[in-house]
Amino acid sequence: MADPRRFKPFRATLRRFMEAWTQVRIQEPAAEALGIDPERPTIYVLPRSSLSDGLLLESLTAGADLPDAATTHLLGDRQLPAQLALPTTRRRLLRRRRGAASPFQAAIEACRQSGQDIQLVPVSIFWGRAPGKRFGVWQLLAADSWRLTGRLRRLLAVLVNGRDLEVHFGAPLSIAELDDGRAPALTDRKAARLLRVHFRRMRTRVLGPDLSHRRTLIEGVARSEPVRRAIHQDAESARHAARLSRRARRYGREIAASMSYPVLRFLDGLLRRLWNHLYDGVDARGLERVKALAGEHTLVYVPCHRSHIDYLLLSYVLYDQGLMPPHIAAGRNLDMPVIGPLLRRGGAFFMRRSFRGQVLYSAVFKEYLHRLLNRGHPLEYFIEGGRSRSGRMLPPRPGMLSMTVDSFLSSQQEDGQSLLFVPVYIGYERILEEASYQRELAGGRKRKESPLALLRVLRRLREPHGRVALNIGEPLALDEFLDGEQPDWRQVAATGERPAWQRAAVTRLGETLTRRINAAATLNPVNLVALALLATPHRAIETPLLERQLALLASLSRADALPPGEPADWIDRVRQLGMLNACRDALGDLVTAEPAQATLLGWYRNNVLHLFALSGLTAFAFRHQTRHTLDDLEALLAPSWPVLAREFAIESPPRLRESLAEVLERLTALELLEVDGAGWRRTRSLAGEEQLRMLGRLMQPSMERGYLLLSVLLSEASGHFTHDGLTSRTRQLAERLARLTGRDSPEFFDRQLFAGLVANLERETWLSTDDTGHLHHDERLHRAARQVQTLFDPALRHRLQRIRHQAEA
């Protein structure tokens, strides 16, 4: 392949065959984005000598706005081919090339002789990595992998996978910039080294690190120093130590993934069929950001966890877009017959829900995780721990994050590994588990996963499930994060001991990642209709008013966060999915939701409620007070806002006053408020006042839960309640309030929400915990409670006090 003149009698015929037979599925980047200078000679560089790659490259460049790869360049008295291959020294079947001059050396000498620069463009070609709609034994055998391919296997790849190709062009490399005047052989080695690094990074990005034998990896984990130290700690005798060593290997087999390229290809075809059957489409955003980082950094994907589909969906999208799927941390409950082995070969490694009291298991798992990260394998885990039954982002759990930080700190002693977290938001128009979530929120027990349960879910595949959004958030470099948390962390890491500050840093790391996940959220028709419809007292609304409210929510959102279409289209979409009812009436059309539909819509509303937190809170402040100045509004909302920002996992603005002023201006522009001297008042328009009231109701449940908790807490002396005691008492009162007010919303009295509220009050220093676990507060909390209570109407305050007194009696 190195010289296009080879096989000259057959080349034209072979090229016509390649043009007719092959089809490129992914070509990146586009020709105009490469930055190739048309005035300079271009030489394409392939990672290995291959006739099929060369012919394909000629075919691609002939039909695109790219320099021709079939030509030759005349520089001085030297004639150079337009494509070259990196030299190889590996043994051939019949011969081994010894001392062969590098093809770049001739280009360097020609560049010097002619005074004309040459640009080298690296090209990576992958045959049959993603089989599209076809997959089978032959496609699996002919797949590209880290193993070198012989001529027979490459011929098989061309014949079997020629319709599913990936071609990746690299940035042009200037020989003139590389040439520093030294001997051509030195510049040659420099160019070859840079190109090999590029090809290795591209191969790592597409195929991931080389997948070593699972048995070797497990054996290495069992013999590692941390595991041997755990065995020595527990062993009572040499015989006991040998038994613990065998147990460590058994733990390794229980945990370790067995990822294989053939299974990945099989799953790609299987999941493609599933998505086409189950969903109307998958909208992926931000993957270009990941492609720019993959291959140079170890990536840890941290998606929100709403459905079992999450990890399948993310792996499929990454694989389909030319990226290596990650190893996925999965609960041991998924290691069930049939499903478990398939997931394990697709990259899942399994973990127990708790490591408490299991020193050896903990050591094995941590060492396995460390080796994955240290080798550069992309990783995926859910920092929420489990799926969100309420639809909102759950507080992050520190377990996997802490182990990742441990691994990162220890790796700094070895090779200074670079690690990036990639937040991922996944939003569904309809999820498969909606029935089980409703049952569990209503108090039902969580059913154990089993193949039979999977079969029950498969029966729902014929129902419409809409579209899915997968959005990549802003990546977070762990070293930069630690620089902000503890500037001397590198010196501490060199000691090999866990620093005292790490626990607090991991907590803040989890909070930062949850905020970045939520910041990447986008809206779909179900989210929007749920926000508007559930803000009505009886889950019924006139169609024109619903359309106006949807338009209002769209005006308060980012333009890139909105679904296509108009409010009428969104309503019709949700109706088609069976989540609301359209009623014909002589006085005008109505949109209603039955109790079961409303409960389900609440889950989708909670996915995106955080996007309207500040605007909803501002509108809520005008609910029972007609007029506010900016000073009054800031003083009124300042105590509540930090706690709400934590509850909704959103970035609190650096200056609340400025953000409130922006919200007031937007609400005024939308004719929901009017400027009144130095302040603002509710609009005199009945339609605008109704829309403002509905916007304020978005925050009403959260505000009522907070007020109820404060009223219970402050009814007793400081130090009376523990975390669990306060959470349980408040939850009971919230459930009673929901029943008395006719709310069919189990999410309103969800225990996790009250537990999180207590934790957030403590993080904001409104509460403190003593050594016995009792909560303490001071006069500041009393003043804040008195201020916040003015947001509520007297009837609600009286009802809350009456419910509390009845419970105490």
Side-chain angles (χ1 to χ4, degrees):
M1 189 286 311
D3 187 346
R5 292 169 295 184
R6 293 176 64 186
F7 309 105
K8 189 174 181 179
F10 310 102
R11 198 170 189 89
T13 302
L14 290 174
R15 178 171 161 181
R16 285 194 294 271
F17 168 77
M18 294 290 286
E19 289 176 351
W21 183 255
T22 60
Q23 180 176 331
V24 176
R25 188 177 64 87
I26 294 179
Q27 179 177 327
E28 296 180 337
E32 59 274 12
L34 270 174
I36 295 178
D37 186 353
E39 302 298 324
R40 291 187 290 167
T42 299
I43 296 179
Y44 297 98
V45 183
L46 294 166
R48 60 183 176 272
S49 180
S50 169
L51 176 63
S52 57
D53 287 358
L55 291 170
L56 176 68
L57 183 58
E58 292 177 16
S59 175
L60 284 178
T61 56
D65 189 18
L66 289 167
D68 190 3
T71 187
T72 57
H73 303 292
L74 182 64
L75 281 81
D77 59 356
R78 294 176 182 270
Q79 196 170 24
L80 301 174
Q83 52 178 290
L84 297 172
L86 280 177
T88 178
T89 58
R90 69 185 181 92
R91 185 178 297 277
R92 301 285 184 178
L93 180 62
L94 299 177
R95 59 187 172 86
R96 178 176 180 177
R97 300 178 60 185
R98 296 179 181 272
S102 168
F104 300 122
Q105 190 164 332
I108 295 166
E109 293 172 350
C111 184
R112 289 183 179 182
Q113 181 183 354
S114 65
Q116 188 174 5
D117 190 16
I118 298 174
Q119 50 193 347
L120 305 176
V121 178
V123 185
S124 301
I125 300 175
F126 298 93
W127 292 79
R129 177 180 176 273
K133 294 184 179 180
R134 298 170 58 246
F135 63 92
V137 174
W138 291 111
Q139 283 80 8
L140 304 185
L141 290 176
D144 257 327
S145 69
W146 275 96
R147 289 175 293 183
L148 297 176
T149 57
R151 289 173 180 171
L152 181 59
R153 180 164 177 157
R154 176 44 56 97
L155 176 61
L156 183 64
V158 172
L159 294 176
V160 174
N161 294 318
R163 319 271 322 157
D164 301 287
L165 297 173
E166 292 186 21
V167 181
H168 300 267
F169 291 92
L173 191 65
S174 169
I175 287 183
E177 294 178 3
L178 292 175
D179 191 3
D180 54 6
R182 296 186 294 174
L186 295 176
T187 305
D188 166 66
R189 286 198 293 269
K190 182 178 180 181
R193 183 174 63 252
L194 291 174
L195 288 166
R196 284 193 179 93
V197 169
H198 167 82
F199 286 127
R200 185 165 55 249
R201 286 177 175 173
M202 181 56 63
R203 203 162 181 81
T204 300
R205 193 189 96 172
V206 175
L207 299 178
D210 193 6
L211 298 175
S212 63
H213 199 281
R214 180 172 181 261
R215 187 187 309 164
T216 305
L217 178 59
I218 294 172
E219 188 67 25
V221 169
R223 292 183 176 182
S224 66
E225 179 60 29
V227 174
R228 284 191 288 130
R229 193 162 50 242
I231 290 173
H232 178 73
Q233 177 182 339
D234 285 355
E236 300 172 356
S237 64
R239 181 177 296 180
H240 190 206
R243 188 162 60 249
L244 290 177
S245 295
R246 291 193 296 271
R247 185 180 300 173
R249 289 172 175 82
R250 188 171 71 248
Y251 286 156
R253 291 190 294 271
E254 174 189 316
I255 294 167
S258 184
M259 182 181 281
S260 69
Y261 294 115
V263 173
L264 289 177
R265 290 169 54 76
F266 169 78
L267 288 174
D268 173 75
L270 180 66
L271 292 176
R272 187 184 301 274
R273 285 168 167 77
L274 175 62
W275 305 143
N276 290 339
H277 189 79
L278 185 62
Y279 297 113
D280 296 335
V282 179
D283 303 316
R285 304 183 185 184
L287 284 171
E288 294 302 322
R289 182 183 293 176
V290 178
K291 292 179 180 180
L293 299 171
E296 298 185 15
H297 307 275
T298 298
L299 301 183
V300 178
Y301 298 92
V302 282
C304 59
H305 199 10
R306 306 283 162 79
S307 169
H308 277 314
I309 297 295
D310 295 340
Y311 36 78
L312 299 176
L313 180 68
L314 179 57
S315 293
Y316 166 78
V317 168
L318 293 173
Y319 191 84
D320 186 65
Q321 292 295 315
L323 292 163
M324 183 62 184
H327 281 66
I328 308 166
R332 193 183 174 194
N333 57 313
L334 294 179
D335 191 12
M336 63 185 90
V338 181
I339 305 301
L342 188 61
L343 292 177
R344 194 184 293 275
R345 286 166 176 77
F349 60 97
F350 297 97
M351 60 185 297
R352 299 178 180 181
R353 288 298 180 187
S354 174
F355 295 179
R356 185 171 300 173
Q358 303 178 68
V359 177
L360 181 57
Y361 179 87
S362 176
V364 171
F365 187 90
K366 290 178 181 178
E367 181 63 20
Y368 175 75
L369 183 72
H370 172 66
R371 293 189 176 225
L372 288 182
L373 291 170
N374 217 32
R375 294 182 182 189
H377 289 284
L379 212 64
E380 176 191 343
Y381 52 74
F382 302 100
I383 57 178
E384 297 169 274
R387 290 169 293 157
S388 173
R389 268 63 175 180
S390 64
R392 64 177 68 219
M393 192 76 192
L394 300 178
R397 294 187 178 182
M400 290 295 293
L401 288 174
S402 183
M403 286 185 277
T404 303
V405 173
D406 282 340
S407 174
F408 178 77
L409 293 178
S410 63
S411 70
Q412 300 308 300
Q413 306 170 44
E414 303 166 16
D415 56 4
Q417 163 198 24
S418 174
L419 189 148
L420 270 73
F421 289 98
V422 181
V424 183
Y425 172 83
I426 304 176
Y428 299 88
E429 286 188 340
R430 191 176 179 190
I431 57 169
L432 285 170
E433 298 97 330
E434 58 185 27
S436 64
Y437 286 179
Q438 285 182 294
R439 184 183 63 253
E440 290 170 29
L441 277 175
R445 293 183 60 185
K446 178 181 178 295
R447 292 177 180 173
K448 185 178 180 180
E449 286 80 3
S450 66
L452 183 60
L454 178 63
L455 291 175
R456 285 196 295 265
V457 170
L458 292 178
R459 290 183 301 184
R460 301 190 53 214
L461 295 184
R462 294 184 179 181
E463 301 175 9
H465 286 81
R467 301 186 68 84
V468 185
L470 189 147
N471 305 328
I472 303 297
E474 182 184 356
L476 186 148
L478 185 53
D479 56 349
E480 295 178 4
F481 174 82
L482 293 178
D483 286 339
E485 290 291 316
Q486 192 75 21
D488 65 343
W489 67 269
R490 289 175 177 84
Q491 289 74 28
V492 177
T495 65
E497 298 179 359
R498 173 174 285 193
W501 49 262
Q502 182 174 330
R503 183 173 182 178
V506 167
T507 299
R508 285 188 287 272
L509 174 63
E511 293 172 350
T512 302
L513 291 173
T514 56
R515 290 195 294 267
R516 294 196 182 191
I517 294 171
N518 268 350
T522 53
L523 295 157
N524 61 45
V526 181
N527 298 145
L528 285 162
V529 170
L531 286 164
L533 183 59
L534 297 184
T536 61
H538 304 292
R539 304 179 296 274
I541 187 173
E542 296 90 345
T543 301
L545 176 56
L546 177 57
E547 291 181 2
R548 290 200 304 273
Q549 193 67 11
L550 292 175
L552 168 65
L553 295 174
S555 300
L556 294 172
S557 306
R558 306 187 320 267
D560 62 344
L562 293 172
E566 300 296 328
D569 303 322
W570 303 338
I571 297 171
D572 189 55
R573 175 72 168 178
V574 182
R575 183 188 58 78
Q576 291 173 5
L577 292 173
M579 296 187 186
L580 54 78
N581 303 317
C583 303
R584 300 289 182 181
D585 189 272
L587 300 179
D589 293 344
L590 298 175
V591 173
T592 65
E594 298 172 1
Q597 291 173 322
T599 302
L600 182 59
L601 286 172
W603 190 92
Y604 296 97
R605 174 200 60 192
N606 292 341
N607 290 177
V608 297
L609 188 56
H610 62 277
L611 297 177
F612 301 93
L614 189 56
S615 55
L617 181 62
T618 304
F620 185 76
F622 283 89
R623 182 175 173 84
H624 302 294
Q625 297 183 44
T626 304
R627 183 182 182 281
H628 286 291
T629 65
L630 183 57
D631 290 337
D632 295 339
L633 196 62
E634 181 184 18
L636 183 63
L637 301 182
S640 306
W641 174 246
V643 179
L644 279 175
R646 283 187 178 275
E647 177 182 340
F648 289 106
I650 53 179
E651 194 71 47
S652 188
R655 295 179 180 84
L656 178 61
R657 184 183 183 87
E658 294 177 4
S659 298
L660 285 174
E662 292 177 5
V663 173
L664 289 169
E665 290 177 5
R666 296 181 73 177
L667 295 180
T668 302
L670 293 168
E671 300 182 353
L672 303 189
L673 295 177
E674 298 175 355
V675 176
D676 181 22
W680 287 262
R681 58 168 293 132
R682 291 199 303 257
T683 179
R684 294 178 176 84
S685 163
L686 293 178
E689 186 175 0
E690 187 170 20
Q691 285 191 276
L692 183 69
R693 187 181 304 111
M694 291 174 63
L695 181 62
R697 285 201 188 107
L698 295 179
M699 289 295 105
Q700 184 172 341
S702 294
M703 295 299 292
E704 288 181 353
R705 279 192 298 266
Y707 181 68
L708 182 58
L709 186 139
L710 286 181
S711 66
V712 172
L713 176 66
L714 298 179
S715 67
E716 303 287 352
S718 177
H720 176 82
F721 287 105
T722 62
H723 279 263
D724 290 342
L726 180 59
T727 299
S728 298
R729 174 67 66 84
T730 311
R731 183 200 171 280
Q732 292 171 358
L733 298 183
E735 184 174 4
R736 185 174 181 85
L737 176 64
R739 289 174 177 172
L740 289 174
T741 54
R743 302 185 193 185
D744 189 12
S745 176
E747 187 255 342
F748 178 74
F749 47 86
D750 184 9
R751 180 183 178 85
Q752 282 190 324
L753 291 178
F754 288 107
L757 182 55
V758 175
N760 291 336
L761 286 171
E762 192 169 8
R763 291 191 185 101
E764 291 296 326
T765 70
W766 293 105
L767 295 176
S768 61
T769 307
D770 61 21
D771 295 337
T772 63
H774 286 79
L775 298 168
H776 292 267
H777 54 83
D778 54 27
E779 182 57 30
R780 290 186 309 129
L781 192 62
H782 284 275
R783 289 197 301 270
R786 287 193 293 269
Q787 197 169 10
V788 169
Q789 75 175 1
T790 61
L791 291 168
F792 300 91
D793 62 273
L796 176 63
R797 296 203 301 266
H798 176 70
R799 172 170 284 175
L800 291 176
Q801 291 174 1
R802 183 160 53 85
I803 291 173
R804 179 170 54 80
H805 291 321
Q806 289 174 348
E808 291 171 355

